[in-house]
Amino acid sequence: MYYKIISTGKHNELLWENQAINDIKAFMQAVSVTYGLDFKLVFKKNSKYVKVVLLDAHPRETDNWRAEFQFRTCGKNNGGIFLKFIRFPVRLQGKGLGTYCVNWLEDLANKYGFKYIVFSAYNSADGFWRKLGYQYSNNEEFIQELYFSN
Protein backbone atom coordinates (compact mmCIF):
# COMPACT_ATOMS: atom_id res chain seq x y z
CA MET A 1 0.00 0.00 0.00
CA TYR A 2 1.02 3.56 -0.56
CA TYR A 3 0.77 6.10 2.21
CA LYS A 4 1.65 9.65 3.15
CA ILE A 5 1.68 11.12 6.65
CA ILE A 6 -0.33 14.35 6.44
CA SER A 7 -0.82 15.78 9.91
CA THR A 8 0.17 15.25 13.51
CA GLY A 9 -2.89 17.20 14.64
CA LYS A 10 -6.00 15.77 16.26
CA HIS A 11 -8.82 14.66 13.99
CA ASN A 12 -11.97 16.68 14.62
CA GLU A 13 -14.86 14.29 13.90
CA LEU A 14 -17.60 16.82 14.67
CA LEU A 15 -16.07 19.47 12.42
CA TRP A 16 -15.63 16.83 9.67
CA GLU A 17 -19.27 15.75 9.86
CA ASN A 18 -20.65 19.29 9.88
CA GLN A 19 -18.43 21.15 7.41
CA ALA A 20 -16.72 18.70 5.06
CA ILE A 21 -19.63 18.53 2.63
CA ASN A 22 -19.26 22.25 1.88
CA ASP A 23 -15.54 21.83 1.21
CA ILE A 24 -16.26 18.88 -1.08
CA LYS A 25 -18.90 20.80 -3.02
CA ALA A 26 -16.55 23.78 -3.45
CA PHE A 27 -13.85 21.42 -4.74
CA MET A 28 -16.23 19.89 -7.26
CA GLN A 29 -17.31 23.32 -8.47
CA ALA A 30 -13.64 24.20 -9.04
CA VAL A 31 -13.13 20.94 -10.99
CA SER A 32 -16.20 21.70 -13.05
CA VAL A 33 -14.96 25.17 -13.96
CA THR A 34 -11.31 24.20 -14.50
CA TYR A 35 -11.81 20.92 -16.39
CA GLY A 36 -15.29 21.35 -17.86
CA LEU A 37 -16.72 18.30 -16.11
CA ASP A 38 -20.02 17.98 -14.33
CA PHE A 39 -20.22 15.78 -11.29
CA LYS A 40 -22.36 13.55 -9.17
CA LEU A 41 -21.56 13.52 -5.47
CA VAL A 42 -22.46 10.75 -3.05
CA PHE A 43 -21.74 11.56 0.58
CA LYS A 44 -22.89 9.05 3.17
CA LYS A 45 -22.30 10.50 6.59
CA ASN A 46 -22.81 7.30 8.56
CA SER A 47 -20.16 5.36 6.69
CA LYS A 48 -17.78 8.32 6.24
CA TYR A 49 -17.83 7.51 2.55
CA VAL A 50 -17.45 10.05 -0.24
CA LYS A 51 -17.80 9.18 -3.89
CA VAL A 52 -17.34 11.76 -6.60
CA VAL A 53 -18.10 10.77 -10.16
CA LEU A 54 -16.93 13.30 -12.72
CA LEU A 55 -19.21 13.26 -15.71
CA ASP A 56 -19.05 14.54 -19.23
CA ALA A 57 -20.82 13.82 -22.47
CA HIS A 58 -18.11 11.67 -24.02
CA PRO A 59 -20.04 8.89 -25.83
CA ARG A 60 -17.45 6.08 -25.44
CA GLU A 61 -17.57 6.07 -21.68
CA THR A 62 -19.89 3.77 -19.82
CA ASP A 63 -21.13 4.07 -16.26
CA ASN A 64 -18.39 1.76 -15.04
CA TRP A 65 -15.55 3.74 -16.62
CA ARG A 66 -16.04 7.37 -15.84
CA ALA A 67 -13.61 9.62 -14.11
CA GLU A 68 -13.93 8.75 -10.45
CA PHE A 69 -12.52 10.00 -7.17
CA GLN A 70 -13.64 8.07 -4.09
CA PHE A 71 -12.41 8.07 -0.49
CA ARG A 72 -13.51 7.41 3.06
CA THR A 73 -12.22 7.66 6.59
CA CYS A 74 -10.37 4.68 8.04
CA GLY A 75 -8.17 3.50 10.88
CA LYS A 76 -8.19 4.10 14.57
CA ASN A 77 -10.81 6.71 15.48
CA ASN A 78 -11.27 7.36 11.75
CA GLY A 79 -7.96 9.20 11.87
CA GLY A 80 -6.95 8.45 8.28
CA ILE A 81 -8.30 8.60 4.78
CA PHE A 82 -8.46 5.58 2.51
CA LEU A 83 -8.36 6.59 -1.16
CA LYS A 84 -10.48 3.91 -2.83
CA PHE A 85 -10.38 5.21 -6.41
CA ILE A 86 -8.78 7.92 -8.41
CA ARG A 87 -9.08 6.98 -12.02
CA PHE A 88 -9.54 8.79 -15.27
CA PRO A 89 -10.05 7.70 -18.88
CA VAL A 90 -6.93 8.11 -21.01
CA ARG A 91 -8.20 11.31 -22.63
CA LEU A 92 -8.35 12.99 -19.19
CA GLN A 93 -4.90 11.83 -18.08
CA GLY A 94 -1.86 14.08 -18.23
CA LYS A 95 -3.90 17.27 -17.78
CA GLY A 96 -3.20 17.75 -14.07
CA LEU A 97 -6.59 16.52 -12.89
CA GLY A 98 -5.17 13.66 -10.80
CA THR A 99 -2.60 15.91 -9.14
CA TYR A 100 -5.30 18.51 -8.50
CA CYS A 101 -7.53 15.91 -6.80
CA VAL A 102 -4.71 14.50 -4.67
CA ASN A 103 -3.48 17.95 -3.59
CA TRP A 104 -7.02 18.90 -2.64
CA LEU A 105 -7.46 15.66 -0.65
CA GLU A 106 -4.23 16.35 1.22
CA ASP A 107 -5.42 19.89 2.04
CA LEU A 108 -8.75 18.49 3.24
CA ALA A 109 -6.98 15.87 5.36
CA ASN A 110 -4.76 18.51 6.91
CA LYS A 111 -7.67 20.87 7.61
CA TYR A 112 -9.62 18.21 9.48
CA GLY A 113 -6.64 16.68 11.29
CA PHE A 114 -6.48 13.36 9.45
CA LYS A 115 -3.07 11.83 10.08
CA TYR A 116 -2.50 10.01 6.78
CA ILE A 117 -3.80 8.97 3.40
CA VAL A 118 -3.45 5.30 2.43
CA PHE A 119 -4.37 3.33 -0.71
CA SER A 120 -3.44 0.60 -3.17
CA ALA A 121 -2.32 1.46 -6.70
CA TYR A 122 -1.23 -0.18 -9.91
CA ASN A 123 2.53 -0.54 -10.38
CA SER A 124 2.25 1.59 -13.51
CA ALA A 125 1.23 4.55 -11.31
CA ASP A 126 4.23 4.25 -8.98
CA GLY A 127 6.04 7.25 -10.51
CA PHE A 128 2.96 9.45 -10.16
CA TRP A 129 2.54 8.64 -6.48
CA ARG A 130 6.22 8.95 -5.61
CA LYS A 131 6.35 12.32 -7.39
CA LEU A 132 3.60 13.47 -5.00
CA GLY A 133 5.57 12.29 -1.96
CA TYR A 134 3.86 8.97 -1.26
CA GLN A 135 5.78 5.95 -0.02
CA TYR A 136 5.13 2.27 -0.57
CA SER A 137 5.03 -0.32 2.20
CA ASN A 138 4.21 -4.00 2.17
CA ASN A 139 4.81 -4.28 5.93
CA GLU A 140 1.66 -6.07 7.14
CA GLU A 141 1.83 -4.71 10.69
CA PHE A 142 2.21 -1.14 9.47
CA ILE A 143 -0.70 -1.52 7.05
CA GLN A 144 -2.88 -3.08 9.76
CA GLU A 145 -2.10 -0.16 12.06
CA LEU A 146 -2.90 2.46 9.41
CA TYR A 147 -5.90 1.00 7.73
CA PHE A 148 -7.59 -1.64 9.82
CA SER A 149 -7.23 -0.45 13.44
CA ASN A 150 -10.41 0.65 15.12
Side-chain angles (χ1 to χ4, degrees):
M1 292 193 99
Y2 288 86
Y3 70 95
K4 185 175 188 178
I5 304 301
I6 300 296
S7 169
T8 57
K10 183 169 173 41
H11 172 58
N12 188 328
E13 188 74 18
L14 186 60
L15 185 64
W16 167 251
E17 288 185 1
N18 292 325
Q19 294 183 12
I21 192 69
N22 294 327
D23 290 329
I24 293 165
K25 286 179 179 177
F27 161 74
M28 294 313 306
Q29 183 63 33
V31 168
S32 180
V33 169
T34 305
Y35 294 96
L37 299 171
D38 290 325
F39 61 92
K40 177 175 82 175
L41 175 64
V42 177
F43 184 77
K44 297 179 182 176
K45 254 184 164 177
N46 293 341
S47 66
K48 311 294 186 262
Y49 164 87
V50 176
K51 179 178 181 179
V52 175
V53 179
L54 305 170
L55 306 170
D56 66 350
H58 199 273
R60 291 188 307 224
E61 291 181 7
T62 63
D63 285 337
N64 64 352
W65 183 236
R66 294 191 185 270
E68 190 170 5
F69 179 46
Q70 184 174 334
F71 60 92
R72 67 178 177 81
T73 60
C74 71
K76 187 174 184 179
N77 299 318
N78 289 319
I81 292 180
F82 173 66
L83 178 59
K84 184 171 181 180
F85 290 117
I86 182 167
R87 59 185 180 182
F88 305 109
V90 172
R91 66 184 176 69
L92 292 176
Q93 295 175 10
K95 299 181 186 318
L97 182 57
T99 300
Y100 186 85
C101 289
V102 172
N103 288 339
W104 173 82
L105 186 60
E106 290 176 4
D107 290 344
L108 184 82
N110 194 42
K111 177 178 181 176
Y112 291 102
F114 289 102
K115 293 179 175 38
Y116 55 86
I117 297 173
V118 63
F119 56 92
S120 294
Y122 292 111
N123 290 341
S124 60
D126 184 72
F128 172 78
W129 293 111
R130 290 190 188 271
K131 178 178 76 172
L132 294 175
Y134 286 81
Q135 298 176 5
Y136 180 81
S137 175
N138 60 2
N139 180 312
E140 297 258 346
E141 285 182 32
F142 180 69
I143 293 168
Q144 289 281 358
E145 182 181 328
L146 283 183
Y147 181 66
F148 299 105
S149 298
N150 286 316

